[in-house]
């Protein structure tokens, strides 16, 4: 029993307060009872987003838990930075690894801290980038082995074909492939890269290039300069067509001057 006219309510719960007053003659009034409810604890929410990529549209369920007296009010969520929506079911219907930020609020206005879940849906085949050989490039080489540089935007099995040859696997469950491959022969070459993801979605990309035997130990790279000169380039009275790479002659053809 405490004496006073102020009752501090500072802990969560529905508190019972019984009280009475006494006058100077010692008369005690009949006790009164009131209830004082305080909720200072926010709800907690969980999600059932599946781990890993899924191959068809699905729902993520948000489950709020409110253990205190005020009761659950609502759950809000935001998908991929979009607008705030209320509800406990999040529909995942488009391709991508989607972020879901969510929280719940109780009837006392307590809001839990934001939580984040991820829901990945794969509806598109891999995107393939052929870094080397570049399309429409000219490659000078002294052998029939060439290092290809391939990248994909998701884990996939990567295969290649040269000029219609059967597919050869470079790697499985990978997002990049830097491998030496057999070009087959010199001349015009067509490299077809195929990528197949875990759900069987398949795509391909093509690089067409000229693979030329290099007699002067030249190679095409970012610092290689290919030039062509025509006319009487060597002063012999003949019309010439001269190709050079980094200043080194690679081929010259002569015609009688007119």
């Amino acid at each position: 029993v405490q004496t006073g006219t102020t009752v501090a309510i500072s802990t969560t719960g529905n508190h019972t307060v019984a009280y009475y007053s006494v006058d100077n003659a010692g008369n005690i009034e009949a006790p009164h009872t009131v209830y004082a409810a305080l909720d200072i604890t926010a709800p907690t929410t969980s999600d059932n987003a599946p781990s890993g990529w899924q191959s068809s549209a699905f729902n993520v369920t948000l489950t709020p838990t409110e253990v205190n007296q005020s009761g659950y009010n609502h759950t809000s969520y935001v998908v991929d930075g979009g607008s705030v929506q209320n509800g406990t079911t999040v529909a995942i219907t488009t391709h991508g690894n989607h972020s879901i930020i969510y929280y719940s609020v109780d009837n006392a206005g307590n809001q839990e801290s934001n939580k984040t879940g991820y829901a990945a849906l794969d509806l598109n085949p891999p995107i393939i980038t052929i870094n080397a050989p570049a399309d429409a490039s000219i490659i000078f080489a002294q052998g029939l082995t060439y290092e290809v540089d391939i990248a994909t935007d998701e884990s996939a099995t990567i295969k290649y074909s040269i000029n219609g040859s059967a597919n050869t696997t470079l790697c499985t469950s990978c997002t990049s492939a830097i491998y030496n491959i057999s070009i087959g022969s010199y001349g015009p070459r067509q490299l077809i890269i195929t990528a197949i993801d875990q759900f069987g979605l398949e795509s391909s990309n093509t690089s067409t290039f000229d693979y030329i035997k290099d007699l002067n130990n030249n190679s095409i790279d970012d610092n290689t300069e290919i030039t062509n000169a025509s006319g009487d380039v060597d002063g012999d009275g003949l019309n010439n067509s001269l190709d050079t790479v980094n200043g080194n002659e690679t081929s010259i053809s002569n015609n009688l001057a007119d």
Side-chain angles (χ1 to χ4, degrees), residues 123-142:
L123 297 177
N124 297 341
I127 297 174
I128 304 169
T129 301
I130 301 178
N131 297 311
D135 189 46
S137 62
I138 301 173
I139 298 172
F140 288 85
Q142 293 183 310

Side-chain angles (χ1 to χ4, degrees), residues 59-89:
N59 292 333
V60 174
T61 300
L62 308 176
T63 303
T65 301
E66 167 68 2
V67 298
N68 298 305
Q69 298 297 322
S70 69
Y72 164 78
N73 188 278
H74 70 273
T75 298
S76 297
Y77 63 89
V78 174
V79 178
D80 294 336
S83 59
V84 177
Q85 303 181 66
N86 290 336
T88 56
T89 300

Side-chain angles (χ1 to χ4, degrees), residues 127-130 135 151 159 191-195 203-207:
I127 297 174
I128 304 169
T129 301
I130 301 178
D135 189 46
K159 302 180 179 183
L191 172 68
I192 300 177
I193 298 296
T194 301
S203 62
S204 62
N205 196 2
T206 301
S207 176

Side-chain angles (χ1 to χ4, degrees), residues 16 19 49 72 109 116 120 148 178 181 225 232 237 252:
T16 301
Y19 64 93
Y72 164 78
T116 302
V148 297
I178 300 177
I181 68 170
E225 180 183 0
D232 187 6
I252 184 168

Side-chain angles (χ1 to χ4, degrees), residues 22-174:
V22 182
D23 63 18
N24 289 327
N27 298 305
I28 302 175
E29 71 174 320
H32 300 273
T33 301
V34 296
Y35 298 94
L38 178 63
D39 184 356
I40 58 175
T41 304
T44 58
T45 311
S46 60
D47 69 73
N48 68 343
S51 61
W53 289 81
Q54 307 300 304
S55 60
S56 59
F58 61 96
N59 292 333
V60 174
T61 300
L62 308 176
T63 303
T65 301
E66 167 68 2
V67 298
N68 298 305
Q69 298 297 322
S70 69
Y72 164 78
N73 188 278
H74 70 273
T75 298
S76 297
Y77 63 89
V78 174
V79 178
D80 294 336
S83 59
V84 177
Q85 303 181 66
N86 290 336
T88 56
T89 300
V90 184
I92 304 300
T93 60
T94 59
H95 177 86
N97 189 11
H98 304 281
S99 66
I100 306 170
I101 299 175
Y102 59 91
Y103 58 86
S104 293
V105 181
D106 63 21
N107 288 323
N110 297 306
Q111 178 177 314
E112 73 175 317
S113 298
N114 289 352
K115 292 183 176 178
T116 302
Y118 294 93
L121 177 59
D122 185 2
L123 297 177
N124 297 341
I127 297 174
I128 304 169
T129 301
I130 301 178
N131 297 311
D135 189 46
S137 62
I138 301 173
I139 298 172
F140 288 85
Q142 293 183 310
L144 296 177
T145 299
Y146 180 77
E147 185 178 79
V148 297
D149 183 352
I150 312 299
T152 61
D153 68 335
E154 62 175 297
S155 180
T157 295
I158 300 176
K159 302 180 179 183
Y160 78 93
S161 170
I162 288 286
N163 281 36
S165 67
N167 275 328
T168 299
T169 298
L170 289 176
C171 62
T172 59
S173 299
C174 57

